[in-house]
Amino acid sequence: MTNAPAPRIEVQDLTVVFGEDERRVVAVDAVSFRVEPGSSFGLVGESGSGKSTVLRAICGLAPVAGGRILIDGKPLTLRRDKAFTRQVQMVFQDPYGSLHPRHTIDRILSEPLAIHGFRDRDRRITRALSDVGLDPAFRFRLPHQLSGGQRQRVAIARALILEPTILLLDEPTSALDASIQAEILNLLSRLRRERNLTYLFVSHDLAVIDHMCDRLLVMKGGQAVEELAEGALSHRQVESDYTRALMKASEGFVRPDAA
Amino acid sequence: MSGAPTPAGLRAWLDTDTPQSRLQARSISAWNAWRTLSSNALAMVGLGIIVVLILMAIFAPVIATHAPNAQNLAGRLNPPGWEGHILGTDELGRDIFSRIVHGARVTLYIVALVAVTAPVFGLIIGTVAGTLGGWTDRILMRITDIFLAFPRLILALAFVAALGPGIVNAVLAIALTAWPAYARVARAETLTVRRSDYIAAARLQGASTLRIITGHIMPMCLSSVVVRVTLDMAGIILTAAGLGFLGLGAQPPLAEWGAMISTGRQYLLSHWWVATVPGIAILLVSLGFNLLGDALRDVLDPRAASK
Amino acid sequence: MTHAPERVKGETLLSVRDLSVTFDTRRGPFQAVRGTSFDVGRERVGIVGESGSGKSMTGRAILGLVRPPGRVTASRLTFDGIDLRALPDRQMRRIRGQRVSMVMQDPRYSLNPVMTVGRQIAEALRVHGRPSREEIRRRSLDMLTEVQIRDPERVLKAYPHELSGGMGQRVMIAMMLVTEPELLIADEPTSALDVTVQLDVLRILDDLVRRRGMGLIFISHDLRLVSTFCDRVLVMYRGRIVEEIEARRLHEARHPYTQGLLNCLPRIGGGHGDLPTLQRQEAWNDA
């Protein structure tokens, strides 16, 4: 599969529209990109850029108004089937909102296994926990008994327990402290290496995207601004003013007198 | 599992941060809920009243001093304390205390039957409507609105009039008028959780809509509905009593508190206890459910317990 | 406490000694803030720390905004020579409205959703004195212009939900500054905003500190932002200040926690290698 000529994810002229008539909002406007197997692709932009909506459209959580999404060269069916969920999983931004508040970690991890009829659930849950660096003692806790970083580890474990090839990451560390962010980013890098995963990584933080991704697409107001190859950011080989403004902003505050 | 826990060990077993099994995790949640509830004095008063009601219903033949329907026309309308009648006798010389005790059975029967029918039905309608949205939602909610538009007692009256008086029909009528409120509560709760990331995550895992409704959405609605049911119990008891009062609920000679008030009101000015005693009984039980409901809201409400 | 910096502009506005905030929990008392001491003059002081470090609680404790069951103790807590510890509620409220203000992280929770912006600003103005209608209007418009709102007339009539995040935060700042406080405590004032908007808001704050000689306590989790914006940085860890350092000398930080916080941030061009993670040490708890 890894040597297949087709890209793992191909998005062609994807358009997502919410609402009708006067309240019609084009959240994503004809965005295209390709992600090769085993690579990591970044979508970067500010709020309202449509970067998260692209992920949601791939998952079938946002209405696709135009364009095509292909996984391994095959267009997605209108309803995402079980085979799709075995292949593509997502990690959400808010570790406090993405875990059911009344389900124990055990239940959260065993549910996907039950849905897909896995037998050796106990073994898989124990392994999933150790893979993301969580103590097995956490297994029967409720999410509110865990810290933000621990919750995000559970969310990653849940996404990986079905052994997908593609992981969609929607700002997975933006709700976390800097030191926890580093741990989660390292974990994600390690998992990608070990399992040859393909990442589609969304973030507002250019530095995080540059660290995690090979190539990236800058988005603004639902449109693609520019696509950058590996190393383009560090060598400042950017075309658009917007990307340049984002780069400057990520360096912190510049005092008027110092500027 | 940590073996058979001793009392001291049980405490530690319930207080640990790292449960070892599903059973322990559940026990700990229940234990924490109980601790919060039991620290609320009013809740304990409410719970006490309800426990007394249940005990009274179970042991009615033992507690009652007389047969509830034994008439004694020579001893009519006697005041409390007369010849061993703790709370006096009614217009047929029946012992009021014994009728109150046996009436607890009727009240509990109504409460229990309504509690297992209306909320379940309302929960299903509300979560299905809220989750599916679109036309399903519109149709189900319009039906709910139609039921909600009628005053509860009037609608219950109409049903009983159509079905014929009697306690089962009264329960049926009350359940038919009570479910729309639960459907509304469940739908409102569903709408707040349906767009949450954990529902999206479940969907992404390939969970069917049925699994999402029963496994993910219903548990989130359950506490609101339970609180609502507890608070509504007072209203349900009053409706049942109202139907009894109007002669459409329990039929004589069955001891039912509403019906007892109804017959007692003719003698209210001259023999106050005949109507007042069942009135106090209704008041106390309603109060019990209300106090418990208020406290349950603090314990169970996901918004209050989210942090 | 290395690099003890000289007071930037002499005068001390706020003086805090041994400030502690304690919460009684089921498992015994928990100290969110454990004996912090610092002074703030007419300068920009950043308080940096991760969640749970007690940085927000410190800001709230200064203004007496810690809700029960939280308890605040300090051996000294003075603002302009006034002891804030023993101050009656009424006078505390007047200081809070007039001389010290606080900006919170999310404008959506701090603005009243059913009142227009204009009324809320007017309310803030009426807390002290009885300005006339025209005066309220003039000062509100001036203030909104000052925080670079282009259409102040329209914003005055708007409800909070009609404003964007950046606009809401500017309104919030305008509301807090309209009484011309001498000290502003800003708790993550820009964290909910996009980076480009974030810099706009910071520019406004920067301008106000310079022109009015206002003191600013800038509470944030973002070490990089604080180090570029503030004059002086207090680094908090588990309720204690573990390091106090001049912002421009942050790269010389001695405490391993400060160093760890700086190093664990990914940088553009930093490569794909693993980020150094923070190895927390027991000893830091008592640093």
Side-chain angles (χ1 to χ4, degrees), chain B residues 2 5-19 24 28 31:
Chain B
S2 50
T6 56
L10 179 68
R11 193 59 187 260
W13 190 73
L14 284 170
D15 276 341
T16 178
D17 254 350
T18 50
Q24 193 181 0
I28 290 173
W31 168 241

Side-chain angles (χ1 to χ4, degrees), chain B residues 241-256:
Chain B
L243 287 174
F245 181 86
L246 294 167
L248 295 169
Q251 293 302 299
L254 188 62
E256 198 273 327

Side-chain angles (χ1 to χ4, degrees), chain A residues 98-222:
Chain A
S98 65
L99 304 181
H100 196 290
R102 306 242 155 149
H103 288 177
T104 58
I105 308 312
D106 175 68
R107 166 113 193 246
I108 289 168
L109 294 180
S110 62
E111 181 139 33
L113 297 174
I115 292 169
H116 292 272
F118 283 87
R119 285 282 168 85
D120 48 348
R121 287 183 215 167
D122 258 342
R123 193 183 58 80
R124 280 176 187 270
I125 291 173
T126 326
R127 232 196 81 198
L129 285 175
S130 72
D131 276 354
V132 296
L134 275 180
D135 194 296
F138 286 116
R139 183 165 165 192
F140 296 101
R141 285 200 192 183
L142 286 165
H144 72 83
Q145 294 169 305
L146 305 185
S147 71
Q150 289 165 344
R151 287 172 185 230
Q152 205 58 305
R153 285 174 193 266
V154 172
I156 292 169
R158 171 179 61 186
L160 290 179
I161 206 160
L162 292 175
E163 296 175 353
T165 51
I166 298 170
L167 206 52
L168 308 176
L169 299 143
D170 187 5
E171 304 246 17
T173 60
S174 65
L176 304 176
D177 278 324
S179 61
I180 310 297
Q181 163 171 288
E183 288 170 18
I184 297 290
L185 292 182
N186 288 349
L187 169 68
L188 287 170
S189 301
R190 174 170 67 79
L191 290 170
R192 184 161 78 92
R193 276 198 307 274
E194 286 173 3
R195 306 187 174 204
N196 194 30
L197 294 167
T198 304
Y199 282 176
L200 184 52
F201 199 112
V202 161
S203 178
H204 69 280
D205 189 332
L206 266 185
V208 168
I209 289 285
D210 184 60
H211 175 73
M212 292 300 291
C213 302
D214 311 324
R215 287 182 307 125
L216 64 115
L217 181 71
V218 181
M219 292 183 67
K220 185 190 183 190

Side-chain angles (χ1 to χ4, degrees), chain A residues 46-47 177-179 181-183 185-186 207-208 210-211 213 230 233-234 246 249-253 255-257, chain C residues 44 50-51 194-196 199 202-203 206 210 224 228-231 264 266 268-269 271-275 277-278 280:
Chain A
E46 298 188 294
S47 53
D177 278 324
S179 61
Q181 163 171 288
E183 288 170 18
L185 292 182
N186 288 349
V208 168
D210 184 60
H211 175 73
C213 302
E230 171 141 38
L233 269 184
S234 46
L246 278 185
S250 74
E251 283 160 13
F253 184 72
R255 294 201 185 160
D257 52 353
Chain C
R44 283 162 295 202
E50 299 189 289
S51 48
D194 276 330
V195 273
T196 44
L199 293 186
L202 288 182
R203 228 164 271 136
D206 178 66
R210 287 155 181 279
R224 193 178 286 165
T228 51
F229 180 68
C230 294
D231 304 311
C264 69
I268 290 177
H272 300 319
D274 271 4
L275 296 163
T277 53
L278 200 58
R280 287 152 211 276

